[in-house]
Amino acid sequence: MDKQNFSKEIKNKFIQLFNSNPLLVISPGRVNLIGEHTDYNNGFVLPAAIDKAIYFAVSLRNDDKCVLYSFDMEEQHESNLNALTKSPMSWVNYLLGVADQLIKAGYKIKGFNCVFGGNIPIGAGLSSSAAIEAGLAFALNDLNSLNIDKLELVKLAQKAENEFVGLQCGIMDQYINIFGIDGNALLIDCKSLEYSYYPFHFNDVSIALFNTGVTHALASSEYNKRRAECNEGIKIIRKKYAEVASLRDVSVSIISEFESLMDAVIYKRCKYVIEENARVLSACKALEAGDLNKLGALLYESHNGLQNDYEISCDESDFLVGLAKNEKSIYGARQMGGGFGGCTINIITKKDLAETSQRIKTLYDNKFNHKLKIYITNISGGTRIIE
Ligand code: GLA
């Protein structure tokens, strides 16, 4: 279904259920060119919003109820703003978490009706959860005339995930969701929370996502574990360098002093993060120079770090990145997102796209039990009102 049809379907469903006219909002998924697991270490990331999105139809009610309808799951849930509790229906928590944060931050919000759905594949590392959180935060801000600024909305949506959903995610996904603009990647400095745009204007290349089809149940526990391991590393570094607040403040030469002073695993985790931060800044330079070979090489290095040092890849994503390296039409590839599956991101020449991806798909499908899904994405704008 394309964009126009999605918003029409969501709106029609809303009118059918609630018999009133909603505000319509589009909230995109994201890719991350480079900078993985650096956000919660106060580092750099380089994501971009894409043309796969969640569509929202929302209106206010005259009572304190929130009536939520998932278009994709065909499920409805009702709760009261005065007694928000975690639901066993997991999709509900991404929405209630936002209402909960608004209330905790002292904003007066009314009850609301909400229908949402879209085409961001779940568990593929394209951040459907941040799209749900930030999309609803945006809609409720508008409908209740709360005048919350964009960065506050980002923080609020992130906190909804940290506190209500229970994943200690960093700020990248919610940030790019709100701040994304058409045709541009966004460099976010997760320490200062400043940002700058880097145009991704290459007419003859596409961003292709290869979905491994693997969504490890492990992902959230291992994610929180990686955070803890990085913090462990910082504690040891601070014994010698008290001024260090996060891995962002540690250089490649400083971390190398700790090789024999740290557990080997903790050392690898820290080294990966520090090197990945440097790669993000190099990637920005490569984008400015239009140097796709350099950008591609950085993506491969990033995957290498994810596979061997941060240890969050999986056989399927390693296999896909391995195949990409043998393809002349692919500049670079790496696993993207939280880890243990999801999609690999591939920078690939447009003219070879169909042939190359078919070749890779055949090899993948023959080797694994799940079939490779391929998405071609365009860099698009952040969360906004439609119509
Ligand atoms: C998930 C989190 C982000 C980020 C990435 C890894 O997408 O939501 O905050 O940490 O994993 O880079």
Side-chain angles (χ1 to χ4, degrees):
M1 224 189 291
D2 65 19
K3 182 167 144 189
Q4 219 158 21
N5 282 336
F6 255 119
S7 50
K8 217 161 117 193
E9 293 263 355
I10 300 283
K11 184 177 176 180
N12 287 345
K13 186 73 201 176
F14 186 95
I15 293 172
Q16 182 199 329
L17 287 174
F18 303 111
N19 197 24
S20 66
N21 249 330
L23 173 76
L24 292 178
V25 166
I26 176 172
S27 178
R30 63 108 186 86
V31 290
N32 185 19
L33 293 179
I34 196 161
E36 218 64 87
H37 288 260
T38 43
D39 61 352
Y40 56 79
N41 285 303
N42 279 356
F44 298 106
V45 290
L46 190 60
I50 56 173
D51 53 357
K52 288 194 176 294
I54 306 278
Y55 298 79
F56 282 91
V58 190
S59 77
L60 297 183
R61 300 173 55 97
N62 289 321
D63 57 21
D64 289 333
K65 279 186 195 160
C66 341
V67 185
L68 312 171
Y69 182 83
S70 161
F71 187 81
D72 304 324
M73 316 278 285
E74 297 181 13
E75 285 174 352
Q76 184 160 324
H77 180 273
E78 193 175 310
S79 49
N80 194 294
L81 286 179
N82 301 318
L84 294 175
T85 51
K86 225 173 150 171
S87 163
M89 281 148 97
S90 67
W91 63 266
V92 167
N93 296 319
Y94 296 94
L95 299 162
L96 293 188
V98 170
D100 180 57
Q101 280 307 321
L102 284 167
I103 294 167
K104 283 188 175 143
Y107 294 107
K108 293 253 167 310
I109 59 167
K110 288 190 165 170
F112 58 93
N113 298 323
C114 168
V115 175
F116 76 103
N119 60 355
I120 308 178
I122 309 247
L126 306 185
S127 220
S128 52
S129 32
I132 298 177
E133 293 146 0
L136 183 67
F138 181 95
L140 293 180
N141 183 35
D142 185 89
L143 288 167
N144 290 286
S145 306
L146 301 174
N147 294 320
I148 305 175
D149 73 31
K150 281 167 99 177
L151 188 55
E152 280 314 306
L153 275 186
V154 167
K155 290 182 186 165
L156 204 135
Q158 181 200 8
K159 240 177 149 192
E161 176 131 0
N162 293 163
E163 294 185 4
F164 211 84
V165 178
L167 182 79
Q168 295 307 312
C169 68
I171 202 165
M172 166 170 72
D173 301 344
Q174 292 79 6
Y175 203 121
I176 182 61
N177 176 284
I178 294 283
F179 281 87
I181 59 174
D182 225 15
N184 282 260
L186 180 71
L187 170 69
I188 308 170
D189 176 336
C190 300
K191 183 178 182 183
S192 67
L193 295 183
E194 282 164 0
Y195 63 92
S196 36
Y197 292 104
Y198 284 83
F200 189 93
H201 291 158
F202 301 101
N203 291 334
D204 43 8
V205 302
S206 293
I207 298 177
L209 306 176
F210 296 162
N211 189 351
T212 60
V214 183
T215 49
H216 271 280
L218 269 185
S220 63
S221 61
E222 287 293 323
Y223 185 97
N224 291 346
K225 191 166 158 203
R226 290 299 176 283
R227 282 193 79 135
E229 287 167 344
C230 292
N231 290 337
E232 191 64 27
I234 294 163
K235 267 196 220 151
I236 297 167
I237 298 167
R238 280 173 62 97
K239 287 188 187 151
K240 184 160 177 204
Y241 296 98
E243 69 282 10
V244 164
S246 68
L247 290 176
R248 167 66 175 281
D249 307 327
V250 183
S251 64
V252 176
S253 73
I254 287 187
I255 192 67
S256 64
E257 292 173 25
F258 289 87
E259 185 160 9
S260 57
L261 303 175
M262 272 181 195
D263 170 88
V265 169
I266 303 288
Y267 177 73
K268 281 204 285 191
R269 306 294 193 248
C270 295
K271 181 170 84 74
Y272 160 78
V273 170
I274 293 161
E275 291 172 350
E276 181 78 348
N277 275 333
R279 281 191 284 268
V280 176
L281 298 179
S282 302
C284 291
K285 288 201 184 118
L287 277 182
E288 270 179 331
D291 188 345
L292 286 174
N293 288 316
K294 176 69 186 169
L295 180 70
L298 291 163
L299 262 63
Y300 285 133
E301 280 174 33
S302 170
H303 187 82
N304 190 41
L306 292 170
Q307 180 179 352
N308 299 308
D309 292 335
Y310 222 60
E311 295 179 288
I312 56 158
S313 68
C314 61
D315 290 348
E316 288 84 346
S317 58
D318 293 341
F319 181 74
L320 286 172
V321 172
L323 291 180
K325 282 185 183 156
N326 295 328
E327 294 287 347
K328 280 212 178 72
S329 58
I330 300 185
Y331 287 99
R334 59 177 206 87
Q335 180 190 273
M336 209 177 60
F340 307 100
C343 289
T344 62
I345 178 170
N346 300 263
I347 314 279
I348 181 168
T349 52
K350 259 186 197 150
K351 66 175 175 41
D352 305 297
L353 181 62
E355 204 188 311
T356 305
S357 35
Q358 190 50 52
R359 193 168 31 245
I360 290 181
K361 180 171 167 50
T362 306
L363 291 167
Y364 187 87
D365 291 358
N366 285 339
K367 187 169 167 75
F368 296 104
N369 283 333
H370 16 261
K371 303 265 169 273
L372 189 70
K373 287 200 188 110
I374 298 170
Y375 320 117
I376 311 305
T377 53
N378 293 303
I379 296 185
S380 68
T383 288
R384 58 201 181 273
I385 292 172
I386 37 180
E387 269 195 331

